[in-house]
Amino acid sequence: MEKLYEGKAKVLYPEGEDTLRVYFKDEATAFNARKRGLIPGKGVVNNKVSAALFRYLEAHGIRTHFLEEVSEREMRVKRVEILPLEVILRFRAAGSFAKRYGLEEGTPLKGPLVEFSLKNDPLGDPLICPEAILALGLAGEAELEGVRATTLKVGELLKAFFAERGLEVVDFKLEFGRREGEILLADEISPDTMRLWDMETGEPLDKDRFRKDLGGVAEAYQEVLRRVLGEGV
Ligand code: UDP
């Protein structure tokens, strides 16, 4: 079937006017695609983990684009107009934030922090402040406040979900889309888009294993899936 769009980790296929099929690949990129590789089985993990998290969030009042899983690597979602923003929620300093402010990885923050980046690969997804988002018309004031409030709620829900499974949520990235005047949580939520640390050992079980060449990358993704599906801690 003809592709609508192929990204770094997913392919989108058009279905009807209203829905898309998302195929999750094993290809991995980091550092604005300067580092590339394969994580065998990643697509299956990210599809299943995203589906489980979208279902959980929906059950707790978050509106998402998710409709159903259609195969090991594919889900069906509502078509949305993606806002060109990466919305990041941080509980601890890590990654680009730790680097930017010269902080040790893992430094706790006083409270959850919402940050916005412009979704633009050639520009390297630069940080963007809420005033610039409004000035550029990327989102309206009510939309932006909705996105911020939903992100904080998702943060609380994911923190509780993963804590029950022995994993600490350090940070994550969300994307949102517009559909018929409503804003829906979209894209994916997976070990590609969040930092998860084992609460016992402090070991990262996410894409940082790939970014930092820590080894055991595919195994870490499988472990996250196992815990998300509730197969013991
Ligand atoms: N993240 C993402 N896509 C991006 C940038 C970041 O999914 O293009 C996620 C990343 O996995 C982490 C969180 O957002 O869980 C915060 O990432 P950070 O800004 O620290 O950037 P990084 O150092 O990971 O590039």
Side-chain angles (χ1 to χ4, degrees):
M1 195 193 240
E2 203 186 317
K3 292 172 191 171
L4 180 71
Y5 172 80
E6 178 152 8
K8 287 171 278 187
K10 300 188 285 296
V11 188
L12 303 184
Y13 296 95
E15 281 208 328
E17 284 224 330
D18 276 353
T19 65
L20 297 176
R21 198 155 39 83
V22 184
Y23 177 93
F24 288 77
K25 303 191 282 188
D26 286 348
E27 274 95 342
T29 63
F31 311 119
N32 203 14
R34 278 178 281 121
K35 176 170 179 152
R36 291 173 179 276
L38 260 193
I39 304 175
K42 172 172 87 80
V44 175
V45 171
N46 286 1
N47 181 41
K48 292 185 178 181
V49 167
S50 289
L53 295 177
F54 282 137
R55 272 191 223 105
Y56 163 75
L57 293 172
E58 284 273 359
H60 289 81
I62 305 291
R63 304 274 290 136
T64 81
H65 73 157
F66 177 74
L67 291 168
E68 59 179 348
E69 272 179 87
V70 291
S71 75
E72 290 243 292
R73 286 177 182 272
E74 294 167 298
M75 62 171 62
R76 183 170 295 122
V77 302
K78 293 177 191 163
R79 241 185 225 249
V80 298
E81 180 201 341
I82 293 283
L83 304 181
L85 296 173
E86 301 207 333
V87 186
I88 292 172
L89 188 79
R90 302 180 187 277
F91 293 103
R92 290 180 185 266
S96 67
F97 183 89
K99 190 165 175 228
R100 190 185 323 135
Y101 298 118
L103 298 167
E104 198 174 317
E105 186 99 350
T107 305
L109 304 178
K110 299 285 182 207
L113 170 69
V114 182
E115 280 187 333
F116 302 95
S117 290
L118 180 68
K119 211 171 127 66
N120 183 314
D121 282 336
L123 295 180
D125 296 341
L127 265 183
I128 185 164
C129 66
E131 291 78 6
I133 293 172
L134 297 176
L136 297 176
L138 305 179
E141 213 157 332
E143 285 179 334
L144 193 56
E145 275 326 299
V147 162
R148 187 199 295 278
T150 302
T151 299
L152 287 164
K153 173 100 190 284
V154 169
E156 271 173 37
L157 290 166
L158 291 183
K159 211 165 172 53
F161 178 93
F162 282 101
E164 275 180 24
R165 290 157 176 82
L167 292 170
E168 180 180 339
V169 177
V170 172
D171 59 28
F172 58 80
K173 184 265 301 179
L174 301 178
E175 294 185 25
F176 291 85
R178 250 186 225 115
R179 181 190 159 90
E180 295 166 355
E182 193 188 10
I183 298 284
L184 301 178
L185 179 58
D187 194 47
E188 67 175 292
I189 312 175
S190 72
D192 268 9
T193 64
M194 60 197 314
R195 289 193 168 91
L196 293 167
W197 292 356
D198 186 292
M199 284 177 156
E200 294 233 315
T201 64
E203 279 282 296
L205 293 175
D206 56 57
K207 199 157 103 176
D208 268 352
R209 301 203 74 83
F210 169 76
R211 292 190 188 96
K212 299 180 178 179
D213 294 320
L214 299 177
V217 186
E219 293 79 3
Y221 277 70
Q222 293 299 333
E223 179 61 18
V224 171
L225 176 60
R226 200 176 68 81
R227 296 204 200 180
V228 164
L229 297 180
E231 292 161 14
V233 173

